[in-house]
mmCIF file of all heavy atoms in Angstrom:
data_model
loop_
_atom_site.group_PDB
_atom_site.id
_atom_site.type_symbol
_atom_site.label_atom_id
_atom_site.label_comp_id
_atom_site.label_asym_id
_atom_site.label_seq_id
_atom_site.Cartn_x
_atom_site.Cartn_y
_atom_site.Cartn_z
ATOM 1 N N SER A 227 -59.469 24.342 -106.858
ATOM 2 C CA SER A 227 -59.670 25.806 -106.932
ATOM 3 C C SER A 227 -60.412 26.268 -108.144
ATOM 4 O O SER A 227 -59.978 25.987 -109.271
ATOM 5 C CB SER A 227 -58.359 26.626 -106.709
ATOM 6 O OG SER A 227 -58.562 27.937 -106.920
ATOM 7 N N SER A 228 -61.578 26.982 -108.008
ATOM 8 C CA SER A 228 -62.298 27.500 -109.124
ATOM 9 C C SER A 228 -61.772 28.915 -109.556
ATOM 10 O O SER A 228 -62.216 29.362 -110.670
ATOM 11 C CB SER A 228 -63.758 27.532 -108.682
ATOM 12 O OG SER A 228 -63.875 28.585 -107.560
ATOM 13 N N GLY A 229 -60.978 29.603 -108.682
ATOM 14 C CA GLY A 229 -60.557 30.805 -108.916
ATOM 15 C C GLY A 229 -61.549 31.905 -108.396
ATOM 16 O O GLY A 229 -61.185 33.206 -108.404
ATOM 17 N N MET A 231 -62.536 32.946 -105.523
ATOM 18 C CA MET A 231 -62.096 33.846 -104.339
ATOM 19 C C MET A 231 -61.111 34.931 -104.778
ATOM 20 O O MET A 231 -61.348 36.091 -104.561
ATOM 21 C CB MET A 231 -61.480 32.973 -103.205
ATOM 22 C CG MET A 231 -61.193 33.589 -101.823
ATOM 23 S SD MET A 231 -62.724 34.091 -101.035
ATOM 24 C CE MET A 231 -62.692 35.764 -100.928
ATOM 25 N N ALA A 288 -52.146 36.468 -102.493
ATOM 26 C CA ALA A 288 -51.926 35.227 -103.084
ATOM 27 C C ALA A 288 -53.179 34.333 -102.753
ATOM 28 O O ALA A 288 -53.101 33.630 -101.640
ATOM 29 C CB ALA A 288 -50.713 34.607 -102.557
ATOM 30 N N ALA A 289 -54.102 34.368 -103.564
ATOM 31 C CA ALA A 289 -55.362 33.546 -103.414
ATOM 32 C C ALA A 289 -55.282 32.177 -104.175
ATOM 33 O O ALA A 289 -56.171 31.349 -104.028
ATOM 34 C CB ALA A 289 -56.673 34.437 -103.697
ATOM 35 N N ALA A 290 -54.251 32.055 -104.956
ATOM 36 C CA ALA A 290 -54.061 30.924 -105.851
ATOM 37 C C ALA A 290 -53.882 29.700 -105.024
ATOM 38 O O ALA A 290 -53.140 29.783 -103.914
ATOM 39 C CB ALA A 290 -53.097 31.214 -106.844
ATOM 40 N N ASP A 294 -48.013 22.269 -104.945
ATOM 41 C CA ASP A 294 -46.796 22.259 -104.083
ATOM 42 C C ASP A 294 -45.779 21.394 -104.861
ATOM 43 O O ASP A 294 -44.495 21.464 -104.629
ATOM 44 C CB ASP A 294 -47.051 21.763 -102.690
ATOM 45 C CG ASP A 294 -47.597 22.781 -101.814
ATOM 46 O OD1 ASP A 294 -47.253 23.985 -101.998
ATOM 47 O OD2 ASP A 294 -48.513 22.438 -101.034
ATOM 48 N N PRO A 322 -41.714 26.061 -106.608
ATOM 49 C CA PRO A 322 -41.254 27.142 -105.855
ATOM 50 C C PRO A 322 -42.441 27.744 -105.009
ATOM 51 O O PRO A 322 -43.503 27.591 -105.356
ATOM 52 C CB PRO A 322 -40.927 28.252 -107.015
ATOM 53 C CG PRO A 322 -41.498 27.795 -108.139
ATOM 54 C CD PRO A 322 -41.664 26.309 -107.982
ATOM 55 N N ILE A 324 -44.254 30.769 -104.217
ATOM 56 C CA ILE A 324 -44.240 32.107 -104.778
ATOM 57 C C ILE A 324 -44.472 33.108 -103.709
ATOM 58 O O ILE A 324 -43.798 34.205 -103.719
ATOM 59 C CB ILE A 324 -45.455 32.110 -105.653
ATOM 60 C CG1 ILE A 324 -45.415 31.017 -106.850
ATOM 61 C CG2 ILE A 324 -45.552 33.518 -106.392
ATOM 62 C CD1 ILE A 324 -46.529 30.798 -107.636
ATOM 63 N N LEU A 325 -45.314 32.848 -102.825
ATOM 64 C CA LEU A 325 -45.594 33.790 -101.718
ATOM 65 C C LEU A 325 -44.280 34.101 -100.807
ATOM 66 O O LEU A 325 -44.078 35.332 -100.553
ATOM 67 C CB LEU A 325 -46.659 33.166 -100.806
ATOM 68 C CG LEU A 325 -47.254 34.027 -99.580
ATOM 69 C CD1 LEU A 325 -47.830 35.184 -100.210
ATOM 70 C CD2 LEU A 325 -48.275 33.226 -98.816
ATOM 71 N N PHE A 340 -53.112 33.445 -98.414
ATOM 72 C CA PHE A 340 -54.215 32.764 -97.926
ATOM 73 C C PHE A 340 -53.627 31.443 -97.304
ATOM 74 O O PHE A 340 -52.512 30.925 -97.591
ATOM 75 C CB PHE A 340 -55.102 32.302 -99.032
ATOM 76 C CG PHE A 340 -56.205 33.258 -99.304
ATOM 77 C CD1 PHE A 340 -55.858 34.463 -99.911
ATOM 78 C CD2 PHE A 340 -57.521 32.977 -99.116
ATOM 79 C CE1 PHE A 340 -56.921 35.526 -100.131
ATOM 80 C CE2 PHE A 340 -58.576 33.956 -99.364
ATOM 81 C CZ PHE A 340 -58.196 35.126 -99.935
ATOM 82 N N ALA A 342 -55.085 27.495 -96.701
ATOM 83 C CA ALA A 342 -56.128 26.594 -96.915
ATOM 84 C C ALA A 342 -55.848 25.469 -95.967
ATOM 85 O O ALA A 342 -54.880 24.690 -96.099
ATOM 86 C CB ALA A 342 -56.297 26.189 -98.313
ATOM 87 N N LYS A 354 -47.972 30.051 -90.678
ATOM 88 C CA LYS A 354 -47.659 30.523 -92.082
ATOM 89 C C LYS A 354 -47.371 32.003 -92.049
ATOM 90 O O LYS A 354 -46.480 32.476 -92.668
ATOM 91 C CB LYS A 354 -48.783 30.297 -92.981
ATOM 92 C CG LYS A 354 -48.746 28.844 -93.676
ATOM 93 C CD LYS A 354 -49.879 28.608 -94.595
ATOM 94 C CE LYS A 354 -49.816 27.158 -94.956
ATOM 95 N NZ LYS A 354 -50.914 26.467 -95.338
ATOM 96 N N LYS A 358 -43.558 32.821 -93.101
ATOM 97 C CA LYS A 358 -43.347 33.484 -94.441
ATOM 98 C C LYS A 358 -43.275 34.998 -94.282
ATOM 99 O O LYS A 358 -43.198 35.651 -95.237
ATOM 100 C CB LYS A 358 -44.541 33.056 -95.316
ATOM 101 C CG LYS A 358 -44.562 31.569 -95.699
ATOM 102 C CD LYS A 358 -45.545 31.288 -96.917
ATOM 103 C CE LYS A 358 -45.671 29.876 -97.059
ATOM 104 N NZ LYS A 358 -46.459 29.468 -98.324
ATOM 105 N N ASN A 366 -58.813 29.897 -94.584
ATOM 106 C CA ASN A 366 -60.132 29.284 -94.624
ATOM 107 C C ASN A 366 -60.042 27.792 -94.533
ATOM 108 O O ASN A 366 -59.051 27.155 -94.864
ATOM 109 C CB ASN A 366 -60.794 29.656 -96.059
ATOM 110 C CG ASN A 366 -59.902 29.597 -97.224
ATOM 111 O OD1 ASN A 366 -60.256 30.156 -98.350
ATOM 112 N ND2 ASN A 366 -58.703 28.988 -97.125
ATOM 113 N N GLU A 375 -64.313 25.869 -104.818
ATOM 114 C CA GLU A 375 -65.449 25.757 -105.817
ATOM 115 C C GLU A 375 -66.716 26.463 -105.420
ATOM 116 O O GLU A 375 -67.530 26.792 -106.252
ATOM 117 C CB GLU A 375 -65.812 24.257 -106.010
ATOM 118 C CG GLU A 375 -64.666 23.455 -106.687
ATOM 119 C CD GLU A 375 -64.784 22.043 -106.705
ATOM 120 O OE1 GLU A 375 -65.167 21.387 -105.544
ATOM 121 O OE2 GLU A 375 -64.514 21.291 -107.762
ATOM 122 N N LYS A 397 -68.495 35.108 -101.743
ATOM 123 C CA LYS A 397 -67.170 35.388 -101.839
ATOM 124 C C LYS A 397 -66.998 37.005 -102.206
ATOM 125 O O LYS A 397 -65.913 37.564 -101.748
ATOM 126 C CB LYS A 397 -66.499 34.507 -102.880
ATOM 127 C CG LYS A 397 -66.133 33.161 -102.280
ATOM 128 C CD LYS A 397 -65.530 32.144 -103.261
ATOM 129 C CE LYS A 397 -65.200 30.861 -102.461
ATOM 130 N NZ LYS A 397 -64.800 29.844 -103.254
HETATM 131 O O1 LIG B 1 -60.649 29.195 -105.891
HETATM 132 P P1 LIG B 1 -61.801 28.937 -105.139
HETATM 133 O O2 LIG B 1 -62.612 27.735 -105.529
HETATM 134 O O3 LIG B 1 -62.641 30.163 -104.912
HETATM 135 O O4 LIG B 1 -61.254 28.549 -103.647
HETATM 136 C C1 LIG B 1 -60.732 29.564 -102.794
HETATM 137 C C2 LIG B 1 -59.340 28.983 -102.169
HETATM 138 C C3 LIG B 1 -59.826 27.879 -101.141
HETATM 139 C C4 LIG B 1 -58.454 28.378 -103.128
HETATM 140 C C5 LIG B 1 -58.578 30.161 -101.429
HETATM 141 O O5 LIG B 1 -59.571 30.787 -100.655
HETATM 142 C C6 LIG B 1 -57.346 29.687 -100.810
HETATM 143 O O6 LIG B 1 -57.333 29.365 -99.699
HETATM 144 N N1 LIG B 1 -56.207 29.930 -101.489
HETATM 145 C C7 LIG B 1 -54.967 29.385 -101.011
HETATM 146 C C8 LIG B 1 -54.878 27.957 -101.391
HETATM 147 C C9 LIG B 1 -53.464 27.400 -100.832
HETATM 148 O O7 LIG B 1 -52.646 27.027 -101.707
HETATM 149 O O8 LIG B 1 -53.284 27.416 -99.609
HETATM 150 P P2 LIG B 1 -51.793 26.901 -98.910
HETATM 151 O O9 LIG B 1 -52.170 26.982 -97.477
HETATM 152 O O10 LIG B 1 -51.488 25.580 -99.421
HETATM 153 O O11 LIG B 1 -50.770 27.944 -99.267
HETATM 154 C C10 LIG B 1 -50.528 29.172 -98.468
HETATM 155 C C11 LIG B 1 -50.284 30.221 -99.244
HETATM 156 O O12 LIG B 1 -49.068 30.145 -100.086
HETATM 157 C C12 LIG B 1 -51.272 30.672 -100.326
HETATM 158 O O13 LIG B 1 -51.497 32.146 -100.296
HETATM 159 C C13 LIG B 1 -50.727 30.092 -101.607
HETATM 160 O O14 LIG B 1 -51.127 31.072 -102.751
HETATM 161 C C14 LIG B 1 -49.245 30.359 -101.454
HETATM 162 N N2 LIG B 1 -48.434 29.367 -102.128
HETATM 163 C C15 LIG B 1 -48.480 27.993 -101.890
HETATM 164 C C16 LIG B 1 -47.725 27.051 -102.427
HETATM 165 C C17 LIG B 1 -46.848 27.539 -103.303
HETATM 166 N N3 LIG B 1 -45.940 26.794 -103.992
HETATM 167 N N4 LIG B 1 -46.654 28.866 -103.718
HETATM 168 C C18 LIG B 1 -47.448 29.719 -102.980
HETATM 169 O O15 LIG B 1 -47.279 30.896 -103.229
#
Side-chain angles (χ1 to χ4, degrees):
S227 170
S228 63
M231 192 70 244
D294 285 321
I324 304 168
L325 183 61
F340 269 71
K354 274 179 187 155
K358 298 193 186 186
N366 43 195
E375 294 168 319
K397 285 180 177 170

